[in-house]
Amino acid sequence: MVKSKNMRKKYEQADMDAALDAMRTKRMSICEAVPRYSVPKTTLIDKIKGRYAEKPQPRTILTNEEEEKLIAMLVDCARKGDGKTKDQLCNIIQSIVIAEGRETPFKDGKPGYTWYLIFMARHKGRLREKKAMVIGEQRAQVTKDKIMGWFQHTEKELLADGINIRNVSASNIFNVDETGFPFYLGGSVIITDANNKHPYEVGTDNKHQVTVLGCCSASGELLKPMV
């Protein structure tokens, strides 16, 4: 007897679902469910024990390891102000599959919106779409160390002029800040860490906008804002 190259027994997913339900609810034993629903015994056992997914999973283009690296890259880029959009992510996948010479169902090797939706759903809870806030390059370069360094330098300079800033009254210490209301659209919708509430992207800061300047003393006294 010549055995078929494909030894996998065919069955309908609805029959497998019914067999699994019958066993879980203890309406049937495995010996009863197999002939009743025409499903393979070993497959039914594997699914009951969790060795295989109950429903067929779509084949992924990237391996699990590659997808983990891709997620880490997307999160890192978003944190640096260089978040990737849906189209940019698809371009990255296209460059990978073309470089590797992989066969895909994609036109020209570039995945479409359906692949993107499945990818995001597969990593729900880790990735999400979020509209980024645009900030200028100068502001993006500001770090905590630079801010602390500025205060230390200013304190040193004032001491040289005989002023100890630590002895100055709180009512004589003011902080000024500004915020802008731009006349242009905001940032792109990027892919970022699901826990990142305020993603940003670096962009030009010479757009026309209305600026509001606020000033407050360390003692809590507010000056009238300047628009």
Side-chain angles (χ1 to χ4, degrees):
M1 178 179 177
V2 179
K3 294 183 178 180
S4 170
K5 291 182 180 179
N6 185 4
M7 298 299 294
R8 179 178 296 177
K9 187 174 181 179
K10 302 297 183 181
Y11 60 88
E12 295 294 332
Q13 183 60 42
D15 292 332
M16 179 59 73
D17 292 341
L20 289 169
D21 181 67
M23 290 188 62
R24 288 201 179 94
T25 56
K26 301 187 184 303
R27 289 184 286 110
M28 290 185 185
S29 66
I30 191 167
C31 293
E32 294 172 324
V34 168
R36 173 65 178 80
Y37 296 103
S38 300
V39 295
K41 181 178 180 179
T42 54
T43 304
L44 184 58
I45 292 174
D46 287 339
K47 290 180 180 292
I48 281 290
K49 292 187 175 181
R51 294 172 185 160
Y52 296 109
E54 292 187 10
K55 297 185 182 295
Q57 300 296 311
R59 183 174 64 88
T60 59
I61 300 303
L62 303 179
T63 64
N64 291 337
E65 183 181 1
E66 288 171 334
E67 287 206 356
E68 287 298 321
K69 290 181 179 179
L70 183 64
I71 292 171
M73 182 273 293
L74 291 171
V75 171
D76 188 54
C77 286
R79 288 175 177 171
K80 293 179 178 178
D82 186 28
K84 304 304 178 186
T85 64
K86 172 184 71 68
D87 195 55
Q88 288 174 325
L89 172 60
C90 291
N91 287 336
I92 292 172
I93 301 300
Q94 182 185 37
S95 65
I96 293 174
V97 299
I98 290 178
E100 296 286 336
R102 302 183 189 182
E103 293 185 4
T104 72
F106 308 141
K107 182 179 179 181
D108 299 325
K110 183 177 180 179
Y113 190 55
T114 300
W115 176 89
Y116 175 75
L117 288 177
I118 295 174
F119 173 79
M120 294 298 290
R122 189 159 56 242
H123 301 292
K124 184 180 180 180
R126 300 179 65 189
L127 297 175
R128 70 169 176 172
E129 288 184 334
K130 185 78 175 180
K131 192 167 186 177
M133 177 182 66
V134 178
I135 64 174
E137 294 182 8
Q138 293 82 1
R139 184 177 175 186
Q141 295 172 0
V142 174
T143 64
K144 180 179 179 180
D145 290 339
K146 289 183 179 179
I147 293 175
M148 296 304 296
W150 182 88
F151 278 108
Q152 292 169 0
H153 173 76
T154 301
E155 182 178 15
K156 183 178 180 181
E157 292 294 314
L158 290 174
L159 281 174
D161 292 334
I163 301 174
N164 186 344
I165 193 172
R166 299 179 185 275
N167 295 331
V168 176
S169 170
S171 61
N172 289 331
I173 299 176
F174 288 84
N175 183 49
V176 179
D177 198 7
E178 65 179 10
T179 186
F181 298 89
F183 296 150
Y184 62 96
L185 296 176
S188 307
V189 175
I190 64 169
I191 305 166
T192 182
D193 184 346
N195 297 318
N196 187 357
K197 296 182 179 179
H198 305 292
Y200 71 92
E201 63 180 349
V202 179
T204 177
D205 57 356
N206 58 2
K207 302 291 185 179
H208 294 292
Q209 65 178 11
V210 172
T211 301
V212 178
L213 191 69
C215 184
C216 179
S217 72
S219 61
E221 180 184 3
L222 291 172
L223 275 64
K224 291 183 178 180
M226 182 178 70
V227 179

